[in-house]
Amino acid sequence: MGHIVANDTILEITSDDGYFKPYARFVTIAAAICAIIFSIIGVLGNLVTVIALLRYTRLRRHATTAFVINLSISDLIFSAINLPLTASRYLNEAWVLGETLCKIFPLFFYGNVAVSLLSMVAITINRYVLISRSDMYARLYTNRGIMWMLIAIWTLSFSLLLPPLLGIWGTLGLDSASFSCTILKKNGSSPKKFLFVLGFLLPCVVISVSYLCIYWRVRRSRKNLEAHAKERQRSCGGFQRREDSRVTRLMLTIFICFLISFMPLMLMNVIDDKMQIPGLHIVASVLAWASAVINPFIYAGTNKLYREAYKQVLCPASSRTLTVGPTKPAHSHSSKVSSPHTT
């Protein structure tokens, strides 16, 4: 049987062999169950999202959709790799999967967080250019341009982790106290706080400022949206403005939910890196896992076009019935702005 040792900061739970365990057993079981559930829902939800957005013609050619797919792929990888490994860690109350996976785990964890945030940065900049510099939109968001943006997102995100991966600044390995594979100190230093600022805090600031600029610009004038559609019939302007506003609100909702989900864990890792309050680390971790699961529900619950895309995959017979009838005009957040798209 284990026993509890009191000290000045926390109650430490130890096993009979004296090994320190920061969490009560029921807490680790609950965390493992959450990880398993989130893994299943995250894999299914994000896989369906990627397939739906690739197949749905009215969304497939939009520049914003490419970054949404990128975000979904990042969440899919997190759900398929990190969450099952996390469940194993909590079930065993130890890391039993070897040194190689112990390095891969934090690499994918922090790398995917960066990919998600940089994808949201790209989405926000896409919305801002659409509204404030519509004359540049078609030149920037070509298929080739979008491809290079996506490559840059993945390259930059994982390049940030090269110093600890190579042991140049910190290292990737096992924290035996919390049986967590993470970024560790090497020679008394770790890049964790630097990565928090550069890979998390700075993108959040950029996104927040960009949305404030979008809000201010839209409030001042809606003429930029009309200018983007100047080659189309003026009767389409109202429809396009409404669609652009809906997409922008949807992406803002995604960012806010991501921020609520991940900010507690990032703060706990930086402020309480010595595990003084282990229970809060569990709660913060579960919130972070949820960020990989909730986006498909947000897409389906808040945007009609995304609901139609999901319906085309999940209920193909009914979606074919719904597409019979007059075609609606294309949306102005498309990367192909020369002519309307059809379903």
Side-chain angles (χ1 to χ4, degrees):
M1 295 292 292
H3 58 283
I4 298 176
V5 179
N7 59 24
D8 292 336
T9 55
I10 59 172
L11 292 179
E12 298 179 356
I13 303 175
T14 64
S15 61
D16 289 334
D17 60 4
Y19 183 76
F20 170 69
K21 293 187 177 182
Y23 314 116
R25 183 55 177 159
F26 78 91
V27 174
T28 58
I29 292 294
I33 292 172
C34 288
I36 293 170
I37 293 173
F38 286 171
S39 177
I40 295 170
I41 297 175
V43 168
L44 294 176
N46 288 293
L47 185 60
V48 170
T49 299
V50 171
I51 295 172
L53 296 185
L54 287 173
R55 291 184 59 185
Y56 192 53
T57 308
R58 290 174 64 188
L59 285 172
R60 188 175 62 223
R61 297 175 183 174
H62 299 165
T64 307
T65 304
F67 301 116
V68 173
I69 291 173
N70 201 54
L71 179 60
S72 298
I73 290 173
S74 172
D75 289 340
L76 178 61
I77 293 172
F78 183 87
S79 300
I81 296 177
N82 285 91
L83 288 181
L85 297 179
T86 298
S88 169
R89 167 195 160 205
Y90 281 113
L91 284 174
N92 293 285
E93 291 191 320
W95 186 266
V96 297
L97 300 171
E99 184 178 350
T100 301
L101 277 178
C102 194
K103 290 183 179 292
I104 291 175
F105 179 85
L107 180 68
F108 275 90
F109 181 88
Y110 290 104
N112 274 299
V113 172
V115 169
S116 296
L117 265 173
L118 291 181
S119 295
M120 287 183 235
V121 170
I123 290 170
T124 309
I125 293 174
N126 171 268
R127 310 313 302 164
Y128 180 74
V129 172
L130 169 65
I131 290 172
S132 65
R133 299 299 303 272
S134 57
D135 55 317
M136 297 175 55
Y137 192 89
R139 296 199 304 271
L140 286 175
Y141 291 98
T142 61
N143 289 337
R144 185 175 181 179
I146 294 169
M147 180 190 70
W148 281 113
M149 291 177 196
L150 296 177
I151 291 173
I153 287 171
W154 285 89
T155 302
L156 178 59
S157 297
F158 283 89
S159 295
L160 291 173
L161 294 165
L162 283 178
L165 179 64
L166 299 175
I168 299 171
W169 186 11
T171 185
L172 302 181
L174 178 63
D175 179 7
S176 57
S178 61
F179 43 88
S180 172
C181 292
T182 183
I183 301 174
L184 303 175
K185 289 184 178 180
K186 183 178 181 181
N187 299 324
S189 66
S190 165
K192 188 175 285 187
K193 292 182 180 180
F194 171 78
L195 292 175
F196 171 75
V197 173
L198 185 63
F200 186 83
L201 194 58
L202 183 60
C204 287
V205 171
V206 171
I207 294 171
S208 300
V209 171
S210 297
Y211 275 119
L212 285 175
C213 292
I214 289 172
Y215 173 77
W216 179 250
R217 175 71 75 158
V218 170
R219 187 176 180 181
R220 285 177 56 194
S221 174
R222 294 182 180 273
K223 292 182 180 179
N224 289 308
L225 290 176
E226 294 175 351
H228 180 67
K230 61 184 178 181
E231 294 184 5
R232 302 180 186 178
Q233 296 179 354
R234 294 187 60 85
S235 60
C236 298
F239 174 79
Q240 291 164 350
R241 287 198 300 271
R242 287 195 301 272
E243 283 303 317
D244 282 312
S245 297
R246 291 191 190 106
V247 172
T248 302
R249 286 197 299 269
L250 169 61
M251 297 309 150
L252 177 59
T253 302
I254 294 295
F255 169 64
I256 291 173
C257 290
F258 179 89
L259 202 60
I260 293 171
S261 299
F262 256 101
M263 183 63 80
L265 180 62
M266 292 298 168
L267 291 176
M268 291 301 296
N269 283 340
V270 172
I271 297 172
D272 188 32
D273 57 348
K274 294 184 178 179
M275 295 285 294
Q276 300 294 314
I277 315 173
L280 286 182
H281 281 267
I282 291 285
V283 174
S285 293
V286 173
L287 278 174
W289 305 340
S291 70
V293 175
I294 58 176
N295 286 352
F297 296 99
I298 297 174
Y299 299 142
T302 60
N303 191 280
K304 181 180 179 181
L305 286 181
Y306 282 81
R307 283 197 297 271
E308 290 177 0
Y310 286 126
K311 192 173 293 185
Q312 190 177 76
V313 174
L314 300 175
C315 307
S318 61
S319 66
R320 281 196 296 270
T321 303
L322 289 173
T323 56
V324 175
T327 303
K328 290 183 179 181
H331 310 306
S332 59
H333 55 280
S334 171
S335 62
K336 310 289 187 181
V337 295
S338 60
S339 62
H341 300 134
T342 56
T343 52

